[in-house]
Amino acid sequence: MALYPLPIAKYTVAALGVLFFLVLPLSLHEYYLSIANLVWISIIGALGLNILVGYTGQVSIGHGAFMSVGAYTAANFATRLDFPWPVNLLLGGLMAAAIGAIVGIPSLRIKGLYLAIATLAGQLIIEWTINHVTFISGGVQASIEVPRPQLGTVVLNTHREMYFFLLFFVVVAIVGTMNLMRSRVGRAFVAIRDQDIAAEIIGINIFRYKLLAFAISSFYAGVTGVLYTYYFGIANYEQFQIGVSIDYLAMIIIGGLGSVLGSIFGAAFVTLLPIGIRYGMEAVSGVLFSEATVHNLIPALRLTLFGALIIVFLVLEPEGLNRLWRNIRSYFRVWPFAY
Amino acid sequence: MSAILEIADVSRSFGGVQAVQKVSVDIPRGEIMSIIGPNGAGKTTVLNMISGFYHPDHGRILLEGTDITHLAPSEIAKLRVARTFQNIALFSGMTVLDNLMLGRHVLMKSGVLSSFIYWGLAQREEVAHRKRVEDLIDFLKIQDLRRRPTGSLAYGLRKRVELGRALALDPKILLLDEPMGGMNQEEKEDMARFILDVNEEWGTTIILIEHDMGVVMDISDRVAVLDMGLKIAEGKPDEVRVNPAVVKAYLGETKTSEVRHG
Ligand SMILES: Nc1ncnc2c1ncn2[C@@H]1O[C@H](COP(=O)(O)OP(=O)(O)OP(=O)(O)O)[C@@H](O)[C@H]1O
Ligand SMILES: [Mg+2]
């Protein structure tokens, strides 16, 4: 189990990490940082969904809606009451957690596909409510602008500033999730997924813990929604529709269910894929298709690829990219002596 | 007499099947009480009612004088009643260590926030409870298996780990549903040794369901016999062995199984 057999290797990895994630971004072009920022935000959301789906074994197609709950809660507090962003972030997370726990109530009685449908209903009801209740959505556009976040007197305007701002939350979310999963609460989640009868006999209150999983997962989603809102400067319900719920499911399936590292890989992969597709298509545009065709093709191609990838991973590698990474690592650990 | 558990006039039916009918048994504190009987006699149903999976249609179950008849399984676990299952219910994707740590779930307290932060409260708790789990691992001689997922273990070892998970609760009462089922002779002897040691070292009251008469007669303080949902005998092993009703119930079973195989 020695991940890094020598301390020197551990320090090297840590030093490379600091160099790559903290020093390099100081000189990178803003465009790349804007992409990195999207990855950061999605990692938090993917971790949250993985706690519920991967670790606790409860399916949810409502993750996008829980993000919107966080987003609109924060936006309303920010604009109506001028609350500072840390307060709004917390309130957005808590409100999403409360709503998430309510949507999770059916999980006491139903499982699998039926639970998926129930959470889908939750997604649609929340979408509709936000879209139609102007008190929440702030009017016809159903979008609310928020002021830029501030640290002391510094206003975070650029992608570079946001990069470090978001990175902080990503690190907290990753470390926190790892901690959660290696202690009492996380173990209970996995116990429910593995064997719910045995989980009851050792004293786990299944209903309470399922709701807890929904609440925690939705808290992450709420925070993700708030961060999107502050990143784009606006809360917009279109950003949290059902497609987003599916994207996040794709992240954890492709990355690896029940794995922190898998959540990170999956979030990065799914966020970067459309950008990769666009580059690829633009390279061949003009040659094969007209520019306009390419533009129309990209969303379709993205969906097709997602669908195909989800199926491929479910069938061939249920443990996702995380497993592939482990295989590669153990290969190189013995390299050049293969077995 | 100090009964730690009183099963008073308990009945339970499933559809048309009277699984248990008006059964009363007092379990004396600190003893090993065996429940025996032919297949389908209602033994597992009695354990299921004690541990809260099923509730009796009639009758009451008292733990140290407190009525636990209608409590949920997780609430009964909090009262330190632990159990193993006839067909093993381990968390098969998790390691032996995690399974045993989970056995201590109700004894631990860390909530979401302290787990998330970990360093400090949760870590201290992990370390403290890990000590007890390590003692159990030594006791059950499964030191080499700590990091193995329980799904990858041989059958006999899985039974042993399941006993370990139940012991991790530091139970007052340990309910064992055929802990030696499917084991070879050597494994059975090991298991019998563990059960006796648990009883002697920690004074744990044990309710044991077992088909192997040799083992039952050897290690039990008392034996209750069920047949078709009715309690047909109870007493010391030597008394029960020669009880005509018991002999008849078992002979009947032998005959039908001969018929079945013939
Ligand atoms: N959940 C249930 N639904 C329907 N019938 C049940 C249920 N549980 C038990 N029974 C029935 O109750 C009767 C007693 O079953 P039980 O499992 O208690 O027997 P047992 O003594 O443990 O038998 P074995 O030695 O085979 O384990 C059987 O006829 C069984 O079919
Ligand atoms: Mg049985």
Side-chain angles (χ1 to χ4, degrees):
Chain A
M1 270 303 285
L3 202 57
Y4 304 105
L6 300 168
I8 188 89
K10 202 162 147 184
Y11 292 130
T12 313
V13 170
L16 284 176
V18 168
L19 209 63
F20 189 79
F21 291 110
L22 289 178
V23 180
L24 187 65
L26 291 173
S27 62
L28 268 185
H29 192 279
E30 286 257 310
Y31 171 70
Y32 296 108
L33 295 175
S34 73
I35 295 172
N37 287 345
L38 289 177
V39 174
W40 287 163
I41 299 176
S42 62
I43 287 176
I44 299 174
L47 284 169
L49 189 61
N50 222 338
I51 291 175
L52 181 68
V53 181
Y55 286 104
T56 319
Q58 309 299 304
V59 191
S60 165
I61 319 188
H63 213 54
F66 302 142
M67 291 180 194
S68 67
V69 172
Y72 280 91
T73 306
N76 274 302
F77 280 113
T79 51
R80 286 167 198 263
L81 300 173
D82 281 332
F83 281 1
W85 67 264
V87 178
N88 298 333
L89 187 75
L90 189 66
L91 290 174
L94 289 175
M95 182 64 96
I99 302 285
I102 293 170
V103 173
I105 288 175
S107 67
L108 174 64
R109 295 237 173 259
I110 56 178
K111 288 182 182 164
L113 190 57
Y114 299 97
L115 182 59
I117 301 293
T119 55
L120 176 62
Q123 164 87 33
L124 297 177
I125 292 169
I126 293 169
E127 259 184 43
W128 189 91
T129 310
I130 289 181
N131 205 5
H132 286 80
V133 179
T134 44
F135 177 79
I136 304 173
S137 63
V140 220
Q141 301 290 320
S143 55
I144 305 173
E145 282 185 44
V146 294
R148 304 297 318 162
Q150 252 177 299
L151 280 180
T153 53
V154 185
V155 181
L156 305 177
N157 269 319
T158 65
H159 287 299
R160 205 178 311 281
E161 285 156 352
M162 284 309 279
Y163 175 95
F164 292 103
F165 177 73
L166 293 170
L167 183 58
F168 168 77
F169 293 104
V170 171
V171 171
V172 170
I174 292 174
V175 174
T177 308
M178 284 162 67
N179 286 343
L180 193 66
M181 297 325 297
R182 64 170 161 164
S183 43
R184 179 173 176 266
V185 175
R187 268 196 306 263
F189 287 158
V190 181
I192 289 173
R193 181 195 71 193
D194 259 23
Q195 237 297 347
D196 48 359
I197 289 183
E200 267 191 281
I201 205 69
I202 57 168
I204 296 170
N205 183 331
I206 306 255
F207 186 45
R208 228 201 13 233
Y209 271 83
K210 279 183 180 174
L211 291 194
L212 192 60
F214 266 97
I216 294 174
S217 166
S218 306
F219 184 88
Y220 280 65
V223 166
T224 306
V226 179
L227 291 177
Y228 271 128
T229 302
Y230 275 108
Y231 178 62
F232 291 118
I234 191 166
N236 185 353
Y237 82 97
E238 281 178 6
Q239 223 141 9
F240 308 109
Q241 282 170 324
I242 170 122
V244 174
S245 293
I246 309 274
D247 281 357
Y248 275 82
L249 276 173
M251 288 178 196
I252 60 174
I253 291 170
I254 293 172
L257 290 170
S259 149
V260 168
L261 202 57
S263 313
I264 299 170
F265 284 149
F269 185 84
V270 169
T271 312
L272 297 179
L273 185 68
I275 298 167
I277 293 174
R278 200 167 62 226
Y279 269 114
M281 293 295 286
E282 274 166 7
V284 298
S285 79
V287 185
L288 294 177
F289 311 102
S290 74
E291 194 113 355
T293 320
V294 168
H295 201 75
N296 291 333
L297 265 179
I298 288 174
L301 195 63
R302 171 174 170 275
L303 277 179
T304 316
L305 259 173
F306 265 14
L309 278 170
I310 290 177
I311 292 171
V312 165
F313 273 98
L314 280 179
V315 174
L316 296 180
E317 192 57 276
E319 289 176 62
L321 291 171
N322 179 46
R323 179 53 181 269
L324 293 181
W325 162 247
R326 284 214 308 267
N327 290 348
I328 293 169
R329 212 179 50 192
S330 52
Y331 175 77
F332 276 106
R333 192 178 297 148
V334 290
W335 190 82
F337 311 103
Y339 305 101
Chain B
M1 180 180 120
S2 69
I4 186 166
L5 190 77
E6 295 164 54
I7 299 168
D9 211 23
V10 159
S11 304
R12 169 76 208 219
S13 60
F14 299 99
V17 183
Q18 268 291 331
V20 174
Q21 295 181 55
K22 301 194 173 220
V23 167
S24 296
V25 189
D26 283 350
I27 319 288
R29 188 184 293 277
E31 293 202 349
I32 299 179
M33 162 72 99
S34 286
I35 301 177
I36 63 170
N39 291 113
K43 307 179 295 293
T44 299
T45 305
V46 169
L47 283 209
N48 281 337
M49 288 190 288
I50 299 172
S51 50
F53 278 112
Y54 300 144
H55 303 301
D57 303 326
H58 301 286
R60 300 204 304 162
I61 300 172
L62 305 178
L63 173 66
E64 299 184 312
T66 319
D67 194 332
I68 60 164
T69 318
H70 297 286
L71 295 187
S74 59
E75 289 165 325
I76 288 175
K78 288 193 188 103
L79 303 172
R80 307 273 189 97
V81 178
R83 144 155 205 200
T84 66
F85 292 86
Q86 190 164 347
N87 35 21
I88 308 185
L90 282 169
F91 307 112
S92 53
M94 303 173 90
T95 62
V96 168
L97 205 53
D98 279 339
N99 269 271
L100 265 61
M101 287 299 281
L102 270 162
R104 295 187 75 72
H105 179 83
V106 301
L107 307 176
M108 299 171 76
K109 288 187 184 58
S110 298
V112 176
L113 207 59
S114 58
S115 293
F116 191 90
I117 298 168
Y118 192 72
W119 294 283
L121 226 66
Q123 189 180 30
R124 234 176 298 139
E125 192 176 47
E126 285 290 309
V127 172
H129 287 264
R130 175 71 184 272
K131 269 210 191 88
R132 172 68 182 146
V133 164
E134 285 297 331
D135 289 345
L136 285 172
I137 285 175
D138 290 343
F139 172 77
L140 294 170
K141 305 193 177 67
I142 45 175
Q143 293 90 339
D144 301 340
L145 309 179
R146 269 192 203 88
R147 305 273 176 199
R148 291 269 300 274
T150 55
S152 72
L153 299 178
Y155 184 81
L157 287 174
R158 291 209 299 256
K159 285 248 168 202
R160 200 186 286 189
V161 173
E162 203 191 14
L163 173 66
R165 188 183 64 195
L167 289 174
L169 182 63
D170 295 337
K172 283 180 187 161
I173 302 183
L174 183 58
L175 313 173
L176 303 174
D177 197 346
E178 304 197 17
M180 296 152 204
M183 285 184 165
N184 63 35
Q185 198 52 38
E186 194 190 333
E187 289 171 325
K188 278 185 185 178
E189 278 163 23
D190 283 344
M191 183 55 79
R193 195 68 250 158
F194 290 134
I195 293 172
L196 283 170
D197 285 349
V198 167
N199 178 250
E200 270 162 33
E201 268 187 49
W202 299 304
T204 312
T205 307
I206 294 171
I207 303 180
L208 172 72
I209 295 178
E210 186 48 55
H211 278 296
D212 185 319
M213 281 312 130
V215 174
V216 169
M217 297 302 163
D218 268 0
I219 70 174
S220 315
D221 296 305
R222 286 181 79 75
V223 179
V225 189
L226 297 186
D227 186 25
M228 297 169 70
L230 293 164
K231 187 175 92 174
I232 57 170
E234 187 191 333
K236 296 216 154 44
D238 289 334
E239 302 162 9
V240 166
R241 203 201 311 257
V242 294
N243 184 311
V246 177
V247 174
K248 190 162 155 259
Y250 274 88
L251 281 180
E253 194 200 23
T254 321
K255 221 184 299 166
T256 49
S257 65
E258 273 167 13
V259 172
R260 221 181 287 142
H261 293 139

